[in-house]
Amino acid sequence: MIKVKKDFEDIPNILTSSPRQGESREDVFKKNVASASYCDDKNSYKVGSVQKKLNEIYHLKCAYCEQKLLDAPKHIEHYRPKKIYYWLAYSWDNLLLCCGACNSAKGDRFETKNSAVCYSDEVFENIHALTTTYDNLEKPKIINPEKEDILNLLVFDKKGKISSDDARVKHTIEEACNLNRNELVQLRMSIVTDFINIMNEHYLYFQKNKDTSRFIPDIENFIENCEVENEFYAFRYFLLNHVEIFFEDNVVLQTLIRGRYSKYNEN
């Protein structure tokens, strides 16, 4: 769960203009408002141009769990559920990319510290820039990956489980999206296990030969894979910045990894 760089001014045309055939998003927006409910049986936010742009922005990763969605279903998720916030169904700053499991876990729940906003004569032209205003009014309990950078509030353990001392991040992890479901924990665990195993193999060679050269390529490869477009960036980032957790009994490995990571950041 990392902050995503989204241009809120670069709205897909289909969300703002009238199509050559059929109803425009504004037409359906007005129907939703008239019925005070989401009544778009065509789910008009689910169109190719919107999907394509979200795929690019999110690097084909789920907004919440960071799992790659190469061949998996790619859900266009509403940060504020369309069933409740029916007038935001086509709002560009309310649409995220999500995996099926996180989408299902989140569902139509949207807990807030303050009272939820209600429709208040918002016009279609203004629906794409309401999130910040609503956030200030409602104080949502769930994190918005497009608005908030919580990278340094995330904590991982050696078994690949994620946690946080921050109440809202904890709510997102445990209650909203279930980010410690078995599939995710196993995938994260495989990353750290593979890295630890290969480092331990090199360490056996180091004990005999006092040669650290074998470590370098694999450490650098792990560091180079710690990029925002790659799967589970937050976990990789945490490991590199907290090597003492994953190599707690090996000061040599801690020093080597920290040293290479420091040089990489300098460059």
Side-chain angles (χ1 to χ4, degrees), residues 57-229:
I57 291 168
Y58 281 87
H59 305 292
L60 278 176
K61 296 197 301 182
C62 174
Y64 297 108
C65 73
E66 277 202 278
Q67 191 173 6
K68 276 285 189 181
L69 306 176
L70 297 175
D71 298 316
K74 303 163 186 65
H75 293 250
I76 297 179
E77 151 74 359
H78 293 83
Y79 175 65
R80 284 179 166 81
K82 63 184 183 296
K83 185 176 181 179
I84 303 170
Y85 302 84
Y86 50 86
W87 66 99
L88 298 180
Y90 320 106
S91 171
W92 180 232
D93 71 351
N94 194 46
L95 299 178
L96 292 70
L97 186 67
C98 194
C99 72
C102 285
N103 190 27
S104 178
K106 183 173 176 288
D108 293 323
R109 294 176 295 114
F110 192 78
E111 296 184 37
T112 58
K113 181 179 179 180
N114 299 332
S115 298
V117 299
C118 298
Y119 178 69
S120 184
D121 297 325
E122 287 86 353
V123 296
F124 178 75
E125 290 76 14
N126 295 336
I127 65 169
H128 300 290
L130 293 172
T131 293
T132 300
T133 299
Y134 286 179
D135 286 348
N136 291 333
L137 291 170
E138 294 182 318
K139 305 298 182 185
K141 292 185 178 181
I142 186 173
I143 296 297
N144 186 340
E146 294 185 352
K147 298 285 187 176
E148 304 173 77
D149 185 357
I150 51 92
L151 183 61
N152 290 316
L153 298 178
L154 300 174
V155 178
F156 296 89
D157 65 19
K158 292 178 69 172
K159 295 181 179 180
K161 289 190 174 183
I162 182 175
S163 62
S164 180
D165 291 329
D166 181 88
R168 292 182 62 240
V169 178
K170 186 176 181 179
H171 172 84
T172 306
I173 293 169
E174 297 180 1
E175 299 182 46
C177 297
N178 188 20
L179 297 183
N180 279 321
R181 54 186 184 267
N182 289 335
E183 177 189 16
L184 295 175
V185 172
Q186 290 302 315
L187 287 170
R188 292 192 293 256
M189 184 65 178
S190 67
I191 292 173
V192 68
T193 299
D194 289 347
F195 187 51
I196 289 175
N197 286 344
I198 197 166
M199 288 297 101
N200 285 338
E201 287 180 16
H202 294 328
Y203 185 70
L204 291 175
Y205 176 82
F206 166 78
Q207 287 182 307
K208 294 179 180 179
N209 301 280
K210 305 304 178 185
D211 180 5
T212 63
S213 61
R214 290 194 176 188
F215 291 103
I216 307 307
D218 288 307
I219 293 175
E220 291 183 345
N221 181 63
F222 189 89
I223 293 171
E224 288 168 2
N225 280 320
C226 185
E227 299 289 345
V228 292
E229 62 266 24

Side-chain angles (χ1 to χ4, degrees), residues 232-244:
F232 304 122
Y233 167 77
F235 180 51
R236 296 173 188 272
Y237 174 88
F238 183 86
L239 189 156
L240 287 170
N241 285 278
H242 298 86
V243 292
E244 70 281 357

